[in-house]
Amino acid sequence: FMYKSILRLKGIWTKFGQFISSRSDVIPQPFVEELSKLQDSVPASDWEVVKRTIVQELKSPVDKLFKHIETDALASASVAQVHRGQLKDGTDIVIKVQHDDVHRLMFSDVADILRIAKIVAYFEKQFDFRPIFEEWSKEVNKEMNFENEADNLVSVRRGMIESGLDVKIPELVPEFTTKKVIVMKFCRGFKVTDTEELAKANLNRLSIMESVCKSFAYQVHILGLFNGDPHPGNILIETYEDEAGVSQARPVLLDWGLAK
């Protein structure tokens, strides 16, 4: 019921559901499992609507810009959806396109949720979530601008390479970046919470989590710029073989629209 209700509301309510789904320490597991679908499985916008946004933003027909784009979304969440594709030279990419009218919805929702939080805090002081929602309201405008995400992506990718940590950040394709469209080179991997894939690959889960934690420690303490939306939908696991032919894994950190 909660999942379907949030889907109808869209906007920041989806973001709120994502936040709840990441708090398995305080939220009952059935709620976490149901709301986790909001991390990357929100119903996608129609391809014709997405294509119209691409054309409007990049000022050219899709077939003149790209060799191929899959019409079915790879993933869809609160702000945008992602499609796989190829550049004219055959490079595998993903193109992230902002949902139509999400900007208006987000700011309308922020105002509503702040009012609700104020009423709840008045009657139940122990449930005063206003600081969280006030912080969200300040960051929403940044997240709506993919040029800001592109800057974050480039900065953190450079930092992770310099750090020597075995963590991957997607590589930006800068010539296709606008306020509503961003293109990155495709990164293979499966969701960090996919226990079946983790077991199948026989990976060291402790080592993976250490890599994620070290990455965020480096972002916070060295770079001074960190991912502010690290729910499981934004962390993939990429498997590869090292020089000795041993199976290894590295985290892939996605979605840099909300960074601090």
Side-chain angles (χ1 to χ4, degrees):
F1 172 77
M2 286 184 67
Y3 171 70
K4 292 181 179 179
S5 296
I6 289 173
L7 288 184
R8 286 196 297 271
L9 291 168
K10 301 181 180 180
I12 205 163
W13 299 100
T14 306
K15 185 71 69 179
F16 181 55
Q18 291 173 344
F19 172 72
I20 293 175
S21 73
S22 68
R23 295 302 308 272
S24 58
D25 55 327
V26 293
I27 302 298
Q29 191 60 29
F31 287 85
V32 170
E33 292 175 0
E34 182 71 4
L35 294 178
S36 290
K37 292 184 287 186
L38 295 168
Q39 294 169 3
D40 55 9
S41 300
V42 173
S45 300
D46 184 77
W47 166 245
E48 290 303 318
V49 176
V50 174
K51 185 168 72 171
R52 184 176 69 233
T53 300
I54 296 172
V55 172
Q56 289 173 344
E57 290 293 304
L58 299 179
K59 314 298 184 188
S60 185
V62 170
D63 58 359
K64 287 191 175 182
L65 297 168
F66 305 100
K67 182 178 181 180
H68 170 70
I69 296 180
E70 293 182 3
T71 57
D72 292 332
L74 178 65
S76 181
S78 56
V79 173
Q81 63 191 59
V82 175
H83 293 256
R84 284 195 65 176
Q86 287 185 324
L87 299 179
K88 289 292 188 178
D89 65 3
T91 300
D92 289 328
I93 54 140
V94 292
I95 178 166
K96 179 178 176 179
V97 183
Q98 193 170 119
H99 292 308
D100 190 45
D101 205 31
V102 72
H103 193 279
R104 181 191 63 79
L105 276 174
M106 279 287 192
F107 282 95
S108 174
D109 290 347
V110 164
D112 291 341
I113 207 166
L114 284 173
R115 293 189 192 100
I116 293 170
K118 184 177 180 180
I119 293 169
V120 171
Y122 178 81
F123 290 104
E124 299 287 348
K125 297 190 185 305
Q126 70 270 33
F127 296 117
D128 187 356
F129 295 114
R130 283 176 296 177
I132 295 174
F133 296 130
E134 287 168 359
E135 181 71 13
W136 273 357
S137 68
K138 289 187 290 186
E139 298 301 317
V140 163
N141 199 43
K142 295 179 185 177
E143 195 171 7
M144 294 293 100
N145 184 351
F146 289 177
E147 291 173 341
N148 178 66
E149 178 172 355
D151 290 341
N152 295 334
L153 188 68
V154 170
S155 297
V156 177
R157 176 179 164 80
R158 185 189 307 119
M160 287 296 100
I161 292 172
E162 292 172 352
S163 76
L165 295 171
D166 193 17
V167 174
K168 178 178 279 190
I169 309 295
E171 183 178 349
L172 180 72
V173 183
E175 59 267 35
F176 298 114
T177 298
T178 73
K179 291 184 184 298
K180 295 184 178 181
V181 172
I182 184 171
V183 175
M184 298 155 280
K185 291 186 178 179
F186 176 68
C187 295
R188 298 186 183 278
F190 56 86
K191 197 172 175 180
V192 69
T193 51
D194 190 336
T195 54
E196 288 187 12
E197 285 294 331
L198 285 167
K200 189 189 303 182
N202 193 28
L203 301 175
N204 186 327
R205 303 186 189 191
L206 178 59
S207 177
I208 291 170
M209 291 313 301
E210 285 179 350
S211 295
V212 172
C213 292
K214 286 178 181 178
S215 168
F216 275 90
Y218 192 90
Q219 293 169 43
V220 172
H221 299 294
I222 306 299
L223 293 182
L225 179 68
F226 63 93
N227 192 315
D229 196 17
H231 62 71
N234 287 339
I235 304 176
L236 301 180
I237 302 300
E238 178 188 68
T239 57
Y240 66 98
E241 289 188 354
D242 62 19
E243 295 178 355
V246 178
S247 180
Q248 301 288 351
R250 66 166 64 92
V252 181
L253 306 183
L254 309 175
D255 194 351
W256 292 88
L258 185 59
K260 293 285 288 179

